[in-house]
Amino acid sequence: MPVPDRMDERLRALGLVEAQRMAEALFAAAAARGLVAPGRSEREVGDRIGDLAGELFGTAARLPGPIVRSGPHTLLPYGPKTPDRVIGEDDVVVAELGSVLAVSEAGFASTLVVGEDPDRHRLALDLPKVFAACREALLADARLTGGRLHAELRALAAAAGWTVAGWHCGHLVGADPSAGAWDARPEAYICPENDRPLRRTVEGGWQAHWVLEIHLVDGLRGFGGSYKRLLDLV
């Protein structure tokens, strides 16, 4: 199998970044149009966002719509299905948009707060801050391993008063984000067992690209939030 050249690598990276830009635009448009609102069910909001994706991006969007979770459902990791739930007056809502875009191998999730609860709003503000700190850690150390970044995330979360949910906090682009700890390859995930540098080449000679999944929760109050983006590409 031929090793990809610099142009192949560049085109792949540009495609991933463009897919993330589209997901960000979709989330912003959904928020601006008030699609996430109290009294609407998670399924209804997901369908509305899916329709909006088709309106904005045409054939670049695909069905089904995004995964939308609210309230106690936001404590759960990506993957397990939950019963439909109606969004409350003071609620946290997470939208997983990666599956909506047909051109994307990467994942994307953002969190929106409904109501005025200060702790929920603090969570929504802390998510991108923790993400930015993790990215800075990667930029500062070319030999940073998945295990060390996982430990860094846990320390940042604890300092902010949150708990990190799930057995990993990210994965190689193209790896299954819902894999279980027992059947996953540790080197493909940002997890305690990954002792390999994140910056490396993978099978086929491709540069490794990573999705960082920040999933912070307040187990006592029963809510959490997610912020999922490309880690090593901007």
Side-chain angles (χ1 to χ4, degrees):
M1 179 182 296
V3 175
D5 61 23
R6 293 181 62 184
M7 181 57 71
D8 291 333
E9 288 276 14
R10 181 65 174 162
L11 289 174
R12 178 173 180 250
L14 287 173
L16 292 170
V17 172
E18 174 61 11
Q20 179 166 286
R21 185 202 65 78
M22 292 167 64
E24 289 172 340
L26 176 59
F27 185 82
R33 297 192 188 192
L35 301 189
V36 182
R40 291 179 179 166
S41 74
E42 296 168 341
R43 188 172 303 160
E44 178 186 359
V45 171
D47 289 343
R48 286 172 180 251
I49 295 175
D51 291 342
L52 179 59
E55 175 187 329
L56 295 177
F57 306 125
T59 57
R62 65 184 176 189
L63 295 175
I67 297 171
V68 174
R69 290 181 171 176
S70 62
H73 292 171
T74 60
L75 296 172
L76 300 173
Y78 176 86
K81 292 184 178 181
T82 57
D84 200 14
R85 178 182 183 274
V86 174
I87 297 169
E89 293 292 334
D90 272 307
D91 230 334
V92 177
V93 181
V94 173
E96 296 264 0
L97 303 183
S99 63
V100 181
L101 301 175
V103 297
S104 178
E105 293 180 88
F108 179 94
S110 270
T111 298
L112 187 69
V113 177
V114 175
E116 303 299 328
D117 181 76
D119 288 330
R120 288 170 170 80
H121 279 280
R122 183 171 67 86
L123 173 64
L125 292 173
D126 282 348
L127 286 163
K129 292 178 183 178
V130 172
F131 183 96
C134 288
R135 176 175 279 169
E136 286 298 319
L138 178 64
L139 293 175
D141 184 359
R143 300 295 296 171
L144 185 71
T145 66
R148 285 171 53 201
L149 183 57
H150 190 276
E152 177 72 11
L153 170 60
R154 292 178 65 87
L156 289 165
W162 308 109
T163 300
V164 176
W167 68 274
H168 72 84
C169 63
H171 58 85
L172 272 173
V173 169
D176 181 5
S178 62
W182 299 108
D183 57 4
R185 295 180 297 116
E187 65 271 18
Y189 295 86
I190 303 174
C191 63
E193 296 77 18
N194 185 356
D195 59 0
R196 300 190 62 187
L198 297 175
R199 291 190 176 276
R200 65 177 193 267
T201 57
V202 293
E203 185 177 355
W206 293 96
Q207 176 65 41
H209 295 305
W210 295 88
V211 175
L212 180 62
E213 302 181 23
I214 308 293
H215 185 194
L216 306 181
V217 303
D218 183 334
L220 292 178
R221 297 193 62 194
F223 66 84
S226 296
Y227 190 89
K228 186 187 300 186
R229 301 288 194 284
L230 292 164
L231 173 62
D232 59 301
L233 295 171
V234 180

